[in-house]
Amino acid sequence: MTNTAVLLIDCPDRKGLVAAVSGLLYQCGANILHADQHQDPEAGLFFMRVEWTLDEFDLPGFRAQFETLASQLQMRWRIELLTEPPRVAIFVGPHLHCLVDLLHRHQIGELRCTIPLIISNHTDAERLARFYNVEFHHTPITSQSKIQAEHEQLQLLNDAHIDLVVLARYMQILSPEFVQQYPLRIINVHHSLLPAFIGARPYHAAFQRGVKLIGATSHYVTEDLDEGPIIEQDVVRISHRDQVEDLIMKGRDLEKLVLSRALMWHLQYRILCYGKKTVIFD
Amino acid sequence: MTNTAVLLIDCPDRKGLVAAVSGLLYQCGANILHADQHQDPEAGLFFMRVEWTLDEFDLPGFRAQFETLASQLQMRWRIELLTEPPRVAIFVGPHLHCLVDLLHRHQIGELRCTIPLIISNHTDAERLARFYNVEFHHTPITSQSKIQAEHEQLQLLNDAHIDLVVLARYMQILSPEFVQQYPLRIINVHHSLLPAFIGARPYHAAFQRGVKLIGATSHYVTEDLDEGPIIEQDVVRISHRDQVEDLIMKGRDLEKLVLSRALMWHLQYRILCYGKKTVIFD
Amino acid sequence: MTNTAVLLIDCPDRKGLVAAVSGLLYQCGANILHADQHQDPEAGLFFMRVEWTLDEFDLPGFRAQFETLASQLQMRWRIELLTEPPRVAIFVGPHLHCLVDLLHRHQIGELRCTIPLIISNHTDAERLARFYNVEFHHTPITSQSKIQAEHEQLQLLNDAHIDLVVLARYMQILSPEFVQQYPLRIINVHHSLLPAFIGARPYHAAFQRGVKLIGATSHYVTEDLDEGPIIEQDVVRISHRDQVEDLIMKGRDLEKLVLSRALMWHLQYRILCYGKKTVIFD
Amino acid sequence: MTNTAVLLIDCPDRKGLVAAVSGLLYQCGANILHADQHQDPEAGLFFMRVEWTLDEFDLPGFRAQFETLASQLQMRWRIELLTEPPRVAIFVGPHLHCLVDLLHRHQIGELRCTIPLIISNHTDAERLARFYNVEFHHTPITSQSKIQAEHEQLQLLNDAHIDLVVLARYMQILSPEFVQQYPLRIINVHHSLLPAFIGARPYHAAFQRGVKLIGATSHYVTEDLDEGPIIEQDVVRISHRDQVEDLIMKGRDLEKLVLSRALMWHLQYRILCYGKKTVIFD
């Protein structure tokens, strides 16, 4: 893990914001590695991400002074240290392609996190979890047991000090109560190019409509189904030669790509949400 | 223009269809240049496109025998001669980028047609029409004059023996009565990746939703707005840095591409429609 | 496995080829599922792929009559039965992403084959091979041992009745003697958009040149390094923000996609090679 | 035109660069609209682009102080005012698709420039130039007259106070003497995905090689043919069904896209070159 910190800011736009933040960082000894700003002129908002090395940096001093500055400038902000990898739990259903993909990416160092926990309402993933030395929990779900199952899942997340939940084709809708426990800390992949084909069986709907491109979308989960802030989308061309099963197969590749990119960016603190939108500092 | 013919067939699938059609063509002296088939196993349908040279080919003889065969096999079919270029009218509004694009493509031989007529409810296109020696008609439209304007337009189309109408960002909704006069012979470009963002101002809607890709769609016009069979779609990546005007600008490139491809394929008789879907024999 | 057969043909183009082949198939009771033709007008060549169900089909009768026909029409041809899955060996080096990808695709039924054998000059893949119940052989390679190692590998392939060799980032150049044993039956993935960046370390070369897109290529291996017939290529956009390690990471996704597509098409007998080119009947 | 300024900087990376620049800008009253930085860790270089409004900004004061700062920090830099649109000359050969595209984009406000001059060694573009009220000069070129023609062209550029030359499929190689007059101020489009298929007839070479994607590249012209810094690249998928003329047709769309994007970015001072590479501040 690198010995760096990230500062994420959003606030009303005004003169001198970059100067104020970068000036204070310099004073405290920061060697800036990446700095990116964005203005939304329509909303009158300013966004900033700065990453710097912590060597020779006075973090407590910076924090103290920055708090005053941030309060004056009405900033929403957070400082994240990249010294500690976040702890990620993966929820999965019977389709394992995203899970297989994420676990290997993690193994070869693409994902800055630890994965202490896999949870599923099926048992298909158990052997794979064991192969990668990840704890596996089977929480079966029926319409009667759903509330109870979610309680159990939340307890598992809590016990494992989970920072982020990834729904890797989990196929179950989380209750608002569950979602509220992890605001903007649950990432889902939906197998369509949202907002097209919201809801169940999007590949079948795409096939019926006769579209020429299919897509997949990774997004934060909010209480409104399929309405959370979109993180990443991608598409692939299809033709009349493709049957529904071809769409499903081609779609799997998209799902892996958009979910893994979203996770990677989240773990590098590259994403800022505002309203239903995201700023991706790439 | 090439001296070739195209046969387009759709019918219930059964054994021996390719053999029957290609056998009869061979008997009548056809030199096949392209042949493509497609089966939709779910719908139980067979689709075929054959293109062959007319030199030394007995067209009347083929036609007579094929009619019998087609009737036995419950075929819907048509034979199109590529000896005569179709006559295309372009409808356009105040935004001329698709028109500029189509007229130059036509000039350098990309589009197998003549373009005798441009119709607009604005006058912006007049000078351009004159530059390319195309007749221009201004049919202003108000809520009161719409029916009258459509009558006038239909008369113009009729007088010019128009085979195909292209709506190159026309921005007016044609009445069902108009559409019925040109079934599957009106091509429109919609500035979103249908079925997402149906209706007006799709780029604004895409911006509000925070999508990461925007698209455009060319389709045949039917009586259901934005619901006609899709011919072509394409997308381009956007980011948080793109404002609505950037989406509109990037979208213009997509609109040109998907509309010109749709027109090119239609003019080569490469498109078969069934229900709300298209087979594109590329 | 489906009970179907595929006929692949290439021959000099002439009148009546489709009629002759489809007529004979119909006579012998074939129910055609897919038929696709292609003409290369410049080379004067005709290509055809037909797939049909073997139920109620007289295969020996067809074969006998077709041989006569094929000889008259100077056809190169082969009939492949999809009743038996081909046997595939995967060669891999220290980077396992393509192997992980292929093994899971195989497990969920995307690849019509068995995978009885994995061979590597490293031991990294051993545990993974065991997880998927595939035999693993470690054949270490030094400049001195290369000929000996290839002999051993060929023996392993022979003993396991291997039909196709897949080089899933194998990183070793096969000798011409090896390649000749499996003509057009070795598929490689090269981590550039060939013919750009031939040879070693293509991502480093791409980074140095400052390109804006990087690519990957799957191709048949011939005796000329990186010169074999290209099966599939894909690209991804990069920017100045991407360092070499980012190119390598983004490239891995391309490598998985183009290699798996090539393998899938080969196993469905969708590829015809002629000269340095491929026809992909999709 | 907007009343803004752009500052472009590259220099050895060190602590405090963002703070120093943004601090000075703030002092002089700048309202920053866009700020983007980039570090190349391998080369140890820092790059920055800032855009701010000139209202209430003390430009002479800033310039004076910044010169001192820049000299201390070994910066290469330039300040560009967006109050005056740059003057662009377009060179074109017999193929007009890029020219048609650029002139319409200019007309609808996509390109922040004036276009006072079109130069060609053919006369095909003359009528079009007149349509858009641009001065047209015909400078015929034979192997004997090339030096003389270039002298004439340089005189025309000089008389028209041209800031940037765009080669919109000009098809002639400029002499090193010509190129030296406009360092990093000549943009060309090459009809391949460089560095593949350098030189003449790249589409024919791509067809012969049997690639599955073709591309186009826009780049600055340097004395080394096809070796200048790449600005933008794009690709389109082709198949065995595409003949050379199809590649040429599909390629035209790519050429228009990559050339117009390069021009747009150059005119907004979004491009920084270093060595053979570009930073595109998008």
Side-chain angles (χ1 to χ4, degrees):
Chain A
M1 289 300 139
T2 53
N3 190 30
T4 67
V6 165
L7 172 63
L8 287 166
I9 297 169
D10 67 305
C11 64
D13 197 14
R14 50 181 290 174
K15 282 190 185 183
L17 290 169
V18 178
V21 175
S22 60
L24 186 55
L25 278 165
Y26 180 54
Q27 250 177 259
C28 298
N31 186 23
I32 293 178
L33 298 176
H34 302 282
D36 204 351
Q37 296 87 45
H38 173 63
Q39 275 108 323
D40 184 326
E42 196 175 291
L45 291 174
F46 172 85
F47 306 88
M48 187 173 191
R49 179 189 186 272
V50 199
E51 183 173 350
W52 68 94
T53 53
L54 289 168
D55 311 319
E56 306 170 32
F57 182 76
D58 174 15
L59 186 58
F62 174 75
R63 216 184 264 274
Q65 293 178 75
F66 185 74
E67 268 170 30
T68 312
L69 184 73
S71 150
Q72 284 165 3
L73 300 170
Q74 297 169 266
M75 289 176 171
R76 294 194 310 167
W77 63 280
R78 52 198 180 108
I79 295 174
E80 304 277 3
L81 304 187
L82 280 82
T83 48
E84 287 281 303
R87 297 171 65 80
V88 173
I90 304 179
F91 280 48
V92 70
H95 303 304
L96 304 185
H97 53 284
C98 283
L99 181 67
V100 167
D101 183 69
L102 291 178
L103 289 172
H104 183 67
R105 286 181 196 270
H106 179 257
Q107 190 177 48
I108 63 176
E110 284 189 20
L111 302 172
R112 202 192 66 82
C113 66
T114 59
I115 303 178
L117 188 58
I118 293 171
I119 290 177
S120 182
N121 55 332
H122 295 74
T123 55
D124 309 67
E126 184 161 14
R127 233 190 118 231
L128 190 70
R130 209 180 307 133
F131 181 75
Y132 283 102
N133 291 314
V134 182
E135 208 179 303
F136 175 85
H137 279 275
H138 178 221
T139 56
I141 292 183
T142 63
S143 47
Q144 288 77 37
S145 72
K146 181 144 185 178
I147 294 172
Q148 174 54 32
E150 283 200 350
H151 272 126
E152 196 184 328
Q153 291 168 343
L154 283 169
Q155 191 63 52
L156 289 164
L157 297 179
N158 194 58
D159 292 351
H161 306 289
I162 294 301
D163 298 299
L164 179 74
V165 173
V166 173
L167 308 182
R169 296 299 313 274
Y170 176 53
M171 317 282 274
Q172 294 286 324
I173 297 170
L174 300 177
S175 71
E177 291 72 30
F178 190 112
V179 173
Q180 281 156 14
Q181 299 296 311
Y182 289 88
L184 298 183
R185 293 199 290 145
I186 307 174
I187 294 177
N188 184 43
V189 59
H190 183 76
H191 38 317
S192 85
L193 202 71
L194 289 176
F197 307 122
I198 273 177
R201 292 166 64 88
Y203 293 130
H204 290 77
F207 180 77
Q208 290 306 326
R209 181 58 188 90
V211 296
K212 299 300 183 185
L213 296 167
I214 56 166
T217 303
S218 52
H219 62 95
Y220 287 110
V221 176
T222 58
E223 298 172 39
D224 300 316
L225 185 65
D226 297 339
E227 292 286 330
I230 292 171
I231 305 170
E232 172 66 341
Q233 302 188 294
D234 216 334
V235 291
V236 70
R237 190 163 284 277
I238 59 168
S239 81
H240 60 274
R241 295 182 196 94
D242 290 297
Q243 298 299 305
V244 172
E245 51 266 41
D246 300 307
L247 269 58
I248 292 172
M249 188 180 72
K250 290 186 172 186
R252 279 196 288 264
D253 286 329
L254 297 177
E255 296 161 24
K256 290 184 276 187
L257 290 173
V258 300
L259 182 59
S260 61
R261 286 181 201 145
L263 178 54
M264 191 182 65
W265 294 333
H266 180 99
L267 296 172
Q268 297 170 346
Y269 306 116
R270 295 188 174 278
I271 312 177
L272 255 180
C273 289
Y274 68 113
K276 282 172 66 172
K277 305 178 76 164
T278 57
V279 173
I280 312 287
F281 291 113
D282 56 351
Chain B
M1 290 299 140
T2 54
N3 190 30
T4 67
V6 165
L7 173 64
L8 288 167
I9 297 170
D10 67 304
C11 64
D13 197 13
R14 50 179 291 175
K15 281 189 188 185
L17 289 169
V18 178
V21 175
S22 59
L24 185 55
L25 278 165
Y26 180 54
Q27 251 178 257
C28 298
N31 186 23
I32 293 178
L33 298 177
H34 302 283
D36 204 351
Q37 296 88 45
H38 173 63
Q39 274 108 324
D40 183 327
E42 197 175 290
L45 292 174
F46 172 86
F47 305 88
M48 188 171 189
R49 180 188 185 274
V50 201
E51 183 172 350
W52 69 93
T53 54
L54 288 168
D55 311 320
E56 304 171 32
F57 182 75
D58 174 16
L59 186 58
F62 174 75
R63 217 185 264 273
Q65 293 178 76
F66 185 74
E67 269 170 29
T68 312
L69 184 73
S71 149
Q72 284 165 3
L73 299 171
Q74 298 169 264
M75 289 175 171
R76 294 194 309 167
W77 62 279
R78 53 198 179 107
I79 296 174
E80 303 277 4
L81 304 187
L82 280 82
T83 47
E84 287 281 304
R87 297 171 65 80
V88 173
I90 304 179
F91 281 47
V92 71
H95 303 305
L96 303 186
H97 54 284
C98 283
L99 181 67
V100 167
D101 184 69
L102 292 177
L103 289 172
H104 183 66
R105 287 181 195 271
H106 179 256
Q107 188 177 50
I108 63 176
E110 284 190 20
L111 301 172
R112 201 192 66 83
C113 65
T114 59
I115 303 178
L117 188 60
I118 293 170
I119 290 176
S120 181
N121 55 332
H122 294 75
T123 54
D124 309 68
E126 185 161 13
R127 232 189 118 230
L128 191 69
R130 210 180 306 135
F131 181 75
Y132 283 103
N133 292 313
V134 182
E135 208 178 305
F136 176 83
H137 279 275
H138 178 221
T139 56
I141 291 184
T142 63
S143 47
Q144 287 77 37
S145 71
K146 180 146 186 176
I147 294 173
Q148 175 54 31
E150 283 201 349
H151 271 126
E152 194 184 329
Q153 291 169 343
L154 283 168
Q155 191 61 52
L156 288 164
L157 297 179
N158 194 59
D159 292 350
H161 306 288
I162 293 302
D163 298 299
L164 179 74
V165 173
V166 173
L167 308 182
R169 297 300 312 276
Y170 177 52
M171 316 283 275
Q172 293 287 324
I173 297 170
L174 300 177
S175 71
E177 292 71 32
F178 189 113
V179 173
Q180 281 157 14
Q181 299 296 312
Y182 289 88
L184 298 183
R185 293 200 290 146
I186 306 174
I187 295 177
N188 184 42
V189 60
H190 183 76
H191 39 317
S192 85
L193 202 71
L194 290 175
F197 307 122
I198 274 177
R201 291 166 65 89
Y203 293 130
H204 290 77
F207 180 76
Q208 290 306 326
R209 180 61 188 91
V211 296
K212 298 300 184 185
L213 296 167
I214 55 165
T217 303
S218 52
H219 63 94
Y220 286 111
V221 176
T222 58
E223 297 173 40
D224 300 318
L225 183 65
D226 296 338
E227 291 286 330
I230 291 171
I231 304 171
E232 173 66 339
Q233 301 188 295
D234 215 334
V235 291
V236 71
R237 190 164 284 278
I238 58 166
S239 81
H240 59 275
R241 295 182 196 93
D242 291 297
Q243 298 299 304
V244 172
E245 51 267 42
D246 300 308
L247 270 58
I248 292 171
M249 188 181 73
K250 290 186 171 186
R252 280 197 288 263
D253 285 329
L254 297 177
E255 296 161 23
K256 289 184 276 188
L257 289 173
V258 300
L259 182 59
S260 61
R261 287 181 199 144
L263 178 54
M264 190 181 66
W265 293 333
H266 180 99
L267 296 172
Q268 297 170 344
Y269 306 116
R270 296 188 173 278
I271 311 177
L272 255 179
C273 289
Y274 69 113
K276 281 172 68 170
K277 304 178 75 164
T278 57
V279 173
I280 311 288
F281 291 113
D282 56 352
Chain C
M1 288 301 139
T2 53
N3 190 31
T4 67
V6 165
L7 172 63
L8 287 167
I9 297 169
D10 68 304
C11 64
D13 196 13
R14 50 179 291 175
K15 281 189 186 184
L17 290 168
V18 177
V21 174
S22 60
L24 186 54
L25 278 166
Y26 179 55
Q27 250 177 258
C28 298
N31 185 24
I32 293 178
L33 298 177
H34 302 283
D36 203 352
Q37 296 88 45
H38 174 62
Q39 275 108 323
D40 183 327
E42 196 174 290
L45 291 175
F46 172 86
F47 305 88
M48 188 172 190
R49 180 188 186 273
V50 200
E51 183 172 350
W52 69 94
T53 53
L54 288 169
D55 312 319
E56 305 171 33
F57 183 75
D58 174 16
L59 186 58
F62 175 76
R63 216 185 264 275
Q65 292 178 76
F66 185 74
E67 269 172 28
T68 313
L69 184 74
S71 148
Q72 284 165 3
L73 300 171
Q74 297 167 267
M75 288 175 173
R76 294 194 309 168
W77 62 280
R78 53 198 178 106
I79 295 174
E80 302 279 2
L81 304 186
L82 279 81
T83 48
E84 287 281 304
R87 296 171 66 79
V88 173
I90 304 179
F91 281 48
V92 71
H95 303 304
L96 304 186
H97 53 284
C98 284
L99 181 67
V100 167
D101 183 69
L102 292 177
L103 289 172
H104 183 66
R105 287 181 195 271
H106 179 257
Q107 190 177 47
I108 62 175
E110 285 189 20
L111 302 172
R112 202 192 65 82
C113 66
T114 58
I115 303 177
L117 189 59
I118 293 171
I119 290 176
S120 182
N121 55 332
H122 294 75
T123 54
D124 310 67
E126 185 161 14
R127 232 189 119 230
L128 191 69
R130 209 180 307 134
F131 180 75
Y132 283 102
N133 292 313
V134 182
E135 208 179 304
F136 176 84
H137 279 275
H138 179 220
T139 57
I141 291 183
T142 63
S143 48
Q144 288 76 38
S145 72
K146 179 144 187 179
I147 294 172
Q148 176 54 32
E150 283 201 349
H151 271 127
E152 195 183 330
Q153 291 168 342
L154 283 168
Q155 192 61 53
L156 288 164
L157 296 179
N158 194 58
D159 293 350
H161 307 289
I162 293 302
D163 298 299
L164 179 74
V165 173
V166 173
L167 308 181
R169 297 298 314 274
Y170 177 53
M171 316 282 274
Q172 294 287 324
I173 297 170
L174 299 176
S175 71
E177 293 71 31
F178 191 112
V179 173
Q180 282 156 14
Q181 300 296 312
Y182 289 87
L184 299 183
R185 293 198 290 145
I186 307 173
I187 294 177
N188 184 41
V189 59
H190 183 75
H191 39 316
S192 84
L193 202 71
L194 290 176
F197 308 121
I198 274 176
R201 292 168 63 89
Y203 293 129
H204 290 77
F207 180 76
Q208 290 306 326
R209 181 59 187 90
V211 296
K212 300 299 183 186
L213 297 167
I214 56 166
T217 304
S218 52
H219 62 94
Y220 287 111
V221 175
T222 59
E223 299 172 39
D224 299 318
L225 184 64
D226 297 339
E227 291 285 331
I230 291 170
I231 304 171
E232 172 66 341
Q233 301 188 295
D234 216 334
V235 291
V236 70
R237 191 163 283 277
I238 59 168
S239 81
H240 60 273
R241 295 182 196 95
D242 291 297
Q243 298 300 303
V244 172
E245 51 266 42
D246 300 307
L247 271 57
I248 291 172
M249 188 181 72
K250 291 186 172 186
R252 279 197 288 265
D253 286 328
L254 297 177
E255 296 162 22
K256 290 183 276 188
L257 289 173
V258 300
L259 182 58
S260 61
R261 286 180 201 147
L263 178 53
M264 190 182 66
W265 293 334
H266 180 99
L267 295 172
Q268 296 170 344
Y269 306 117
R270 297 189 172 277
I271 311 177
L272 256 179
C273 289
Y274 69 113
K276 281 172 67 172
K277 304 177 77 164
T278 57
V279 173
I280 311 287
F281 291 113
D282 56 352
Chain D
M1 290 299 141
T2 53
N3 190 30
T4 67
V6 166
L7 172 64
L8 287 166
I9 297 169
D10 68 304
C11 65
D13 198 13
R14 50 180 290 174
K15 281 189 188 185
L17 289 169
V18 178
V21 175
S22 58
L24 187 53
L25 278 165
Y26 179 55
Q27 251 177 257
C28 298
N31 185 24
I32 293 179
L33 299 177
H34 302 283
D36 204 353
Q37 297 87 46
H38 173 64
Q39 275 107 324
D40 183 327
E42 198 175 288
L45 291 175
F46 171 86
F47 306 88
M48 188 172 189
R49 179 188 186 272
V50 200
E51 184 173 350
W52 69 94
T53 53
L54 289 169
D55 311 319
E56 305 171 32
F57 183 75
D58 174 16
L59 187 58
F62 175 76
R63 215 185 266 273
Q65 293 179 75
F66 185 74
E67 269 172 28
T68 312
L69 183 74
S71 149
Q72 284 165 2
L73 299 170
Q74 297 168 267
M75 289 176 171
R76 295 194 308 169
W77 61 280
R78 51 197 180 107
I79 295 174
E80 303 278 2
L81 304 186
L82 280 82
T83 47
E84 287 281 303
R87 297 172 64 81
V88 173
I90 304 178
F91 281 47
V92 70
H95 304 303
L96 304 186
H97 53 285
C98 284
L99 181 66
V100 167
D101 184 68
L102 292 177
L103 289 172
H104 183 67
R105 285 181 197 271
H106 180 257
Q107 189 177 48
I108 62 176
E110 285 190 20
L111 302 172
R112 202 192 66 82
C113 65
T114 59
I115 303 179
L117 188 58
I118 294 171
I119 290 176
S120 181
N121 55 332
H122 294 75
T123 54
D124 309 68
E126 185 162 12
R127 230 188 122 232
L128 191 69
R130 210 179 307 134
F131 181 75
Y132 283 101
N133 291 314
V134 182
E135 206 179 305
F136 175 84
H137 279 275
H138 178 221
T139 56
I141 291 184
T142 64
S143 47
Q144 287 77 37
S145 71
K146 181 146 186 175
I147 294 172
Q148 174 54 32
E150 283 200 351
H151 271 124
E152 194 184 330
Q153 291 169 342
L154 284 168
Q155 192 62 51
L156 288 164
L157 296 179
N158 195 58
D159 292 351
H161 306 289
I162 294 300
D163 299 300
L164 179 74
V165 173
V166 173
L167 308 182
R169 297 298 312 276
Y170 177 53
M171 315 283 274
Q172 295 287 323
I173 298 169
L174 300 177
S175 72
E177 292 72 31
F178 190 112
V179 172
Q180 282 157 14
Q181 299 297 312
Y182 289 88
L184 299 182
R185 294 200 289 146
I186 307 173
I187 294 177
N188 184 41
V189 58
H190 183 75
H191 38 316
S192 84
L193 202 72
L194 289 176
F197 308 122
I198 273 176
R201 291 167 65 89
Y203 292 130
H204 290 77
F207 180 76
Q208 291 306 325
R209 181 59 187 92
V211 296
K212 299 299 183 186
L213 296 167
I214 56 166
T217 304
S218 52
H219 62 94
Y220 286 111
V221 176
T222 58
E223 298 173 40
D224 299 318
L225 184 64
D226 297 339
E227 292 285 330
I230 292 170
I231 304 171
E232 173 65 340
Q233 302 190 293
D234 216 334
V235 292
V236 71
R237 190 163 285 277
I238 58 167
S239 81
H240 59 274
R241 294 182 197 94
D242 291 298
Q243 299 299 304
V244 172
E245 52 266 42
D246 300 307
L247 270 57
I248 292 171
M249 188 180 72
K250 290 186 172 187
R252 279 197 288 263
D253 286 329
L254 297 176
E255 296 160 23
K256 289 183 277 187
L257 289 173
V258 300
L259 182 59
S260 61
R261 286 180 200 146
L263 178 53
M264 190 181 66
W265 294 334
H266 180 98
L267 295 172
Q268 297 170 344
Y269 307 116
R270 296 189 172 278
I271 312 177
L272 255 179
C273 289
Y274 69 112
K276 281 171 68 172
K277 305 178 76 165
T278 57
V279 173
I280 311 287
F281 291 113
D282 57 350

